[in-house]
Amino acid sequence: MIELKKIHIGKLIKLRVDESDIDILRICNFFNKTEVEITSMYLYEHLNTDDLLKWSKLLKYDFFRIYSQHLIFYSPQSSSVNNINTKLPRFRKNIYTKEIIDFIVGKIVKGEKSKEQVIKDYRIPKTTVYKWLTKYR
């Protein structure tokens, strides 16, 4: 399971490269970089968004979603943010992916957090948590 609190994107990319079994020459050509430059990217805790977008396309995996999930869990949106006038798109915060549900249910099942703690800490409705426990336990 991916650690959402402290994200090391280079390690996650390396994991996906290994899973995808993509040849290093293909990666080097795609990025127009040397093998040393590519392998050093696996050591980076952070990458610029252009490179992360390229990795997402090449590996057919949305690495940005990892950061979105981090925001959902560890940076709760305040209600005042919704009242700010902006031309930027507004996203619904409460779209829970299977990974998020597994993460939450896992915390409860392992005893790391109580149902009440999950409801309070992550601001997930009580009925939603109970439905997840019934469905995914």
Side-chain angles (χ1 to χ4, degrees):
M1 175 165 254
I2 294 174
E3 174 59 48
L4 291 175
K5 187 141 192 161
K6 180 106 169 102
I7 300 168
H8 190 296
I9 199 65
K11 288 180 182 177
L12 299 175
I13 289 170
K14 175 65 171 134
L15 178 66
R16 182 65 180 173
V17 167
D18 292 343
E19 290 173 350
S20 301
D21 199 31
I22 294 181
D23 186 58
I24 188 68
L25 292 176
R26 180 173 174 214
I27 297 170
C28 292
N29 288 336
F30 187 82
F31 280 91
N32 197 24
K33 293 184 186 272
T34 66
E35 187 173 340
V36 172
E37 290 172 313
I38 294 297
T39 55
S40 69
M41 291 173 91
Y42 302 148
L43 304 174
Y44 298 158
E45 191 171 331
H46 309 284
L47 287 176
N48 70 49
T49 54
D50 288 338
D51 286 338
L52 193 59
L53 183 61
K54 286 179 183 177
W55 279 114
S56 293
K57 289 177 179 180
L58 178 67
L59 299 174
K60 296 177 177 65
Y61 184 87
D62 185 358
F63 289 101
F64 292 96
R65 176 116 2 145
I66 296 167
Y67 292 102
S68 297
Q69 289 179 358
H70 173 92
L71 288 173
I72 289 169
F73 282 133
Y74 301 107
S75 181
Q77 189 175 10
S78 79
S79 58
S80 64
V81 171
N82 292 328
N83 297 329
I84 296 174
N85 289 332
T86 181
K87 293 183 192 239
L88 294 172
R90 291 190 183 173
F91 301 104
R92 287 183 45 209
K93 179 180 168 28
N94 57 350
I95 297 175
Y96 302 107
T97 64
K98 178 74 168 108
E99 291 85 4
I100 290 175
I101 295 168
D102 290 344
F103 176 80
I104 294 294
V105 170
K107 289 275 188 192
I108 295 169
V109 169
K110 293 175 189 170
E112 295 174 16
K113 286 189 180 265
S114 69
K115 295 172 206 153
E116 293 75 23
Q117 285 175 308
V118 165
I119 292 164
K120 181 182 175 207
D121 293 350
Y122 302 126
R123 296 183 181 171
I124 299 172
K126 184 177 180 177
T127 55
T128 302
V129 171
Y130 281 90
K131 284 179 186 176
W132 289 350
L133 287 170
T134 302
K135 187 173 181 180
Y136 300 105
R137 188 180 286 196

